[in-house]
Amino acid sequence: MESGENKKKWLLAIVVVIALIVLFLGFQIITQQIQLNNGIDYLEEKDYEKAYTAFHNAEGKYTIFTSKKNIQYYEGESLIYLGRFDEAAKLYQKIIDKHKDARAYAMKGFAYQQNGDKENAQKAYQTAIEVDEKDGIGYYYLYGYYVEQKEYEKALSVLDDAEAATVTSMEQEIAYAKIVAYEKLLQYDKALNAAKEYCKQYPDDKTGKQEKEFLETR
């Protein structure tokens, strides 16, 4: 009889512990979402310090059923806006350690580039392309890197590689970048042709229309 009572007590204790764990995790998930929403609002208001704090607090919540990758990307974006590039690079590496995302490598490269570390920036962009050659982000940021270095032939070559790979993201940004690359190389006829093609693909883009009109009348 006593043994049966002990079993009941143990079962009750286990149920209580499980209930407390579930309540704790539920509370963590709810407060994490609140902090995430607050961070997004602050980001839209361009209050980057408050945004970073909210995202950092959200990342720190003890959740085992939800991924923190999305929160970390927001956190990294806030750090970039705050000019805290070393911290941003480390955060993107934290993402990379768990997820081999082209985006994480590209953003890590951007943090390096903004911090003046050109060599590691270039390597990170190239790695982003190697990780996922269909993701346009690595090509786009590598293009931007070469433009900053005024190596316009290399920048155009990167865009050609993106087209050859038939990227499935950032197609519009890459198409517009090609217009800019031709202009940088003073190849205005090719820039105009690229602008015409861009306007066919993206007829609602006002910037593309303006660029085409400029090239037609120059």
Side-chain angles (χ1 to χ4, degrees):
M1 190 74 176
E2 189 177 341
S3 177
E5 288 295 326
N6 286 336
K7 285 182 180 179
K8 287 180 181 179
K9 288 179 181 179
W10 276 108
L11 285 172
L12 180 61
I14 291 169
V15 169
V16 170
V17 169
I18 292 172
L20 289 172
I21 291 172
V22 170
L23 285 171
F24 173 75
L25 292 176
F27 176 78
Q28 292 291 304
I29 291 171
I30 292 168
T31 53
Q32 182 184 74
Q33 190 60 50
I34 291 171
Q35 290 284 358
L36 176 59
N37 292 340
N38 288 341
I40 292 171
D41 288 340
Y42 287 133
L43 201 59
E44 289 175 352
E45 294 166 6
K46 298 184 179 180
D47 192 337
Y48 303 122
E49 192 64 57
K50 287 184 179 178
Y52 168 73
T53 299
F55 293 135
H56 187 68
N57 289 339
E59 187 197 354
K61 296 297 180 182
Y62 293 97
T63 55
I64 58 175
F65 301 115
T66 57
S67 172
K68 295 183 179 180
K69 181 173 70 169
N70 188 46
I71 297 170
Q72 289 170 329
Y73 274 123
Y74 277 122
E75 192 178 348
E77 185 179 350
S78 300
L79 287 169
I80 294 268
Y81 279 122
L82 289 167
R84 294 159 61 176
F85 304 119
D86 284 336
E87 292 175 67
K90 290 176 182 176
L91 182 62
Y92 289 122
Q93 182 60 50
K94 193 174 176 181
I95 297 174
I96 290 165
D97 289 340
K98 290 187 177 180
H99 311 276
K100 301 299 181 184
D101 286 353
R103 180 184 172 190
Y105 281 105
M107 294 311 300
K108 181 183 176 184
F110 184 73
Y112 280 138
Q113 185 176 346
Q114 295 303 302
N115 213 26
D117 189 345
K118 298 176 184 178
E119 183 178 351
N120 279 321
Q122 185 182 17
K123 287 179 181 178
Y125 297 145
Q126 289 171 334
T127 303
I129 295 170
E130 291 167 7
V131 166
D132 187 355
E133 65 175 14
K134 292 292 184 182
D135 193 327
I137 193 167
Y139 300 97
Y140 186 72
Y141 276 85
L142 184 57
Y143 150 82
Y145 166 83
Y146 283 129
V147 167
E148 186 177 276
Q149 304 308 310
K150 298 183 179 180
E151 298 183 65
Y152 303 126
E153 288 284 0
K154 288 184 178 180
L156 182 60
S157 178
V158 170
L159 300 176
D160 289 337
D161 290 342
E163 286 187 352
T166 320
V167 296
T168 56
S169 66
M170 300 194 74
E171 301 99 311
Q172 184 171 352
E173 291 87 348
I174 288 169
Y176 188 84
K178 198 152 195 178
I179 303 170
V180 176
Y182 281 130
E183 288 183 350
K184 293 290 186 182
L185 289 166
L186 308 181
Q187 297 178 16
Y188 295 111
D189 289 341
K190 289 183 177 180
L192 177 57
N193 289 335
K196 288 178 179 178
E197 185 60 32
Y198 179 88
C199 289
K200 284 180 184 178
Q201 293 180 352
Y202 309 102
D204 296 328
D205 186 79
K206 292 181 180 179
T207 305
K209 287 180 182 179
Q210 291 171 352
E211 195 64 25
K212 182 172 80 73
E213 290 170 0
F214 164 73
L215 288 164
E216 285 173 335
T217 57
R218 67 172 300 279

